[in-house]
Amino acid sequence: MRVFVTGATGFVGSAVVGELINAGHQVLGLARSDAGARSLTAAGAAVHCGSLEDLESLRSGAASADGVIHTAFIHDFSNYGPAAEADRRAIETLGRALAGSDRPLIVTSGTLLVQRQGSLATEEDAHNPNFPRKSEEAALALTAGGVRASVLRLPPSVHGNGDHGFVPRLISIAREKGVSAFIGDGLNRWPAVHRLDAAHLYRLVLEKGTAGASYHGVADEGVPTREIAEAIGRGLNVPVVGKSSEEAADHFGWISRFFGIDGPASSALTRERLGWRPVQPELITDLNAHHYFEHAAEAVPVRG
């Protein structure tokens, strides 16, 4: 299968490219820079120049493929509304290029975007309509037009070597402040998955996914944020402290609104339907590895 991958040079997307090529698929990767194009060529993928804002590049890439995996997103929390709108337009453009065919479109969303919070979210829970990001609504609306669109929800921590998302940002804050902190009692939970396990799931959804279905790329159902803070404290050899909800915004900045969420999620239905079995290290095991503490990353989150 010839697969068009957006976000193909990103942390998740590059793992997806490798997974697809190793499974015998051909990959056409979207690249917006010469450096990105070189990395795709080195990985064995064909290069398609363009960006999320260049809708014609998305249309032509999708039109030439047997399936599309959409992992790209503009991670600018200072302009999140426009970023979410660009994502919606991109999904609609990709879908129109596939309309009337049985070619699959896999759209990325996040487990923290479901309506249910504080209890175990499942694949059957609906997306929160009040959240600015409309990836799921855009994808599922395409199914009425004959597009085999499905949604893959990623947890807030997709981890592994090269991570530049939430956890490296927490490490950077702990290094800057001299303490590793959690909010309240630290019992609120974050689901997590290793990037290689997530990449394997993208391939399974591409090959076996059902139109209109949502899948969860979740290995750890819910890691208490206190345990994450403790692992960071060990890695940096700094004290671990609790912060009240009132203190959290000043200590963590914009990430406080995410780090304080209790959002455990299940992947039981995904495992049953697709036979997915995560095999990579879990989050705390990965955090105990040295690579997370080699430098502080000024990172932005890559999932909702």
Side-chain angles (χ1 to χ4, degrees):
M1 186 182 295
R2 179 177 169 87
V3 187
F4 180 45
V5 180
T6 73
T9 60
F11 179 63
V12 173
S14 60
V16 172
V17 169
E19 170 74 22
L20 293 173
I21 290 174
N22 289 339
H25 295 291
Q26 298 177 337
V27 174
L28 178 65
L30 184 67
R32 59 181 179 177
S33 69
D34 291 342
R38 287 193 294 271
S39 70
L40 285 171
T41 300
V47 176
H48 185 78
C49 295
S51 68
L52 284 189
E53 298 93 336
D54 182 354
L55 299 182
E56 174 55 28
S57 72
L58 298 181
R59 187 207 64 76
S60 61
S64 68
D66 301 311
V68 176
I69 294 178
H70 177 53
T71 71
F73 191 80
I74 301 170
H75 306 291
D76 184 355
F77 271 72
S78 64
N79 291 287
Y80 196 72
E85 177 61 16
D87 183 55
R88 183 191 64 78
R89 290 195 301 267
I91 292 167
E92 290 177 349
T93 299
L94 294 168
R96 283 195 294 269
L98 302 175
S101 73
D102 193 42
R103 292 176 291 167
L105 168 63
I106 296 92
V107 168
T108 305
S109 183
T111 62
L112 292 188
L113 304 186
V114 299
Q115 279 191 293
R116 182 190 305 190
Q117 294 296 332
S119 57
L120 197 64
T122 77
E123 294 87 340
E124 295 181 341
D125 287 320
H127 172 268
N128 186 342
N130 297 319
F131 201 83
R133 187 169 178 177
K134 305 298 181 183
S135 310
E136 296 197 20
E137 290 95 326
L140 298 181
L142 292 170
T143 60
V147 180
R148 191 176 135 199
S150 52
V151 170
L152 199 164
R153 293 172 177 160
L154 294 177
S157 177
V158 178
H159 56 91
N161 202 350
D163 185 0
H164 53 270
F166 280 121
V167 168
R169 180 61 189 145
L170 292 170
I171 293 171
S172 181
I173 291 169
R175 179 167 281 150
E176 174 190 345
K177 304 281 188 177
V179 296
S180 179
F182 53 88
I183 300 173
D185 58 12
L187 297 182
N188 61 299
R189 297 152 293 175
W190 265 17
V193 69
H194 194 281
R195 67 191 288 257
L196 298 182
D197 285 326
H200 181 57
L201 179 56
Y202 274 101
R203 178 170 68 82
L204 292 178
V205 176
L206 176 80
E207 295 171 347
K208 301 192 290 185
T210 301
S214 294
Y215 300 95
H216 280 190
V218 172
D220 290 310
E221 288 190 346
V223 182
T225 55
R226 181 168 189 155
E227 292 185 16
I228 296 173
E230 289 170 345
I232 292 172
R234 289 193 300 272
L236 295 178
N237 194 27
V238 298
V240 178
V241 301
K243 296 289 182 180
S244 69
S245 56
E246 293 77 17
E247 296 171 319
D250 181 63
H251 182 85
F252 291 106
W254 56 263
I255 202 174
S256 64
R257 65 179 183 246
F258 298 99
F259 199 43
I261 290 175
D262 185 33
S266 168
S267 59
L269 293 177
T270 297
R271 298 179 193 223
E272 176 185 337
R273 293 167 178 169
L274 299 180
W276 180 61
R277 296 291 182 271
V279 297
Q280 299 297 325
E282 295 183 338
L283 176 58
I284 297 302
T285 301
D286 207 12
L287 264 175
N288 289 332
H290 181 64
H291 66 84
Y292 263 101
F293 302 97
E294 291 176 344
H295 60 85
E298 289 298 328
V300 296
V302 293
R303 293 150 297 279

